[in-house]
Amino acid sequence: MENILVAGAHGTTGKKIINLLSESQYFKPIAMVRAEEQIPFFKSKNVETVLANLEHDVSPAFETPIDKVIFAAGSGGKKVIEVDQEGAKKLIDASKKNNIRKFVMLSSMGADNPESVSELQDYLKAKQNADNHLKKSGLNYTIVRPGTLTNGELHNKIALEEKLNKQGEISRNDVAQTLVRTLNDDVANKATFEIIKGDTLIADALDKVSRIEAP
């Protein structure tokens, strides 16, 4: 089984990712948490944890051998530079140093062109900078840019394009499912795409991405 480090494991989407990984026969989740008081939640689920803070030194996250990383952390708009940008860049650099095989980034629709929106420009610019850092890192990666996140049920169907050219919502359950599926070695390598709720099964949508040769 591959060890998957999940940054932002204690967040709403992060917990869904952990649950999916725990049910997988291929992946073992390693929950990265920033505070001691977050550890018992995962211990009760028999999920291994590592204590590391994106605002400080992230090297303790790799004391357990890590195969792949999912970055699902977010500042909630409070520390966009410290967490969403610099924290992500720190984890990317540490991942490269530790030879991880794939880095899956939870980004955001609009991160390709922050100036085009009237709200959240600082957040989207931070996400853009983090995404660009990942693309230039030399790591294998998948960058997933969902629309507005909701707490709806798993729909298991999405609309996926490199650029959708329309706004939309998507449940955190569907986002988590998409992120976990991109961990597979033959899925969406060196790919960046947007997703919202749609009519195509997640597996079929990702299969289409995987057939497109990365630049």
Side-chain angles (χ1 to χ4, degrees), residues 71 84-86 88-90 92-93 96 103 105-108 110-115 123-139 141-145 162 191-192:
F71 186 92
D84 299 288
Q85 178 177 299
E86 296 306 313
K89 288 165 74 171
K90 275 186 204 172
I92 291 163
D93 292 345
K96 186 172 184 180
F103 193 109
M105 175 75 85
L106 174 55
S107 184
S108 175
D112 62 323
N113 188 14
E115 294 79 14
Y123 168 72
L124 292 173
K125 185 65 179 175
K127 296 302 286 184
Q128 181 186 57
N129 290 337
D131 291 354
N132 288 341
H133 190 76
L134 177 55
K135 289 177 181 179
K136 294 173 183 174
S137 69
L139 289 168
Y141 66 85
T142 308
I143 297 172
V144 181
R145 292 173 169 168
E162 184 176 344
T192 304

Side-chain angles (χ1 to χ4, degrees), residues 17-57:
I17 293 166
I18 293 289
N19 287 340
L20 288 172
L21 293 172
S22 296
E23 296 166 0
S24 169
Q25 58 182 321
Y26 305 110
F27 306 123
K28 175 187 174 184
I30 311 290
M32 177 175 157
V33 298
R34 59 180 171 81
E36 292 272 0
E37 56 265 27
Q38 295 173 339
I39 293 175
F41 173 85
F42 296 103
K43 189 169 280 188
S44 69
K45 296 177 176 291
N46 295 315
V47 172
E48 185 176 340
T49 60
V50 291
L51 193 62
N53 190 325
L54 288 167
E55 294 181 63
H56 303 294
D57 180 16

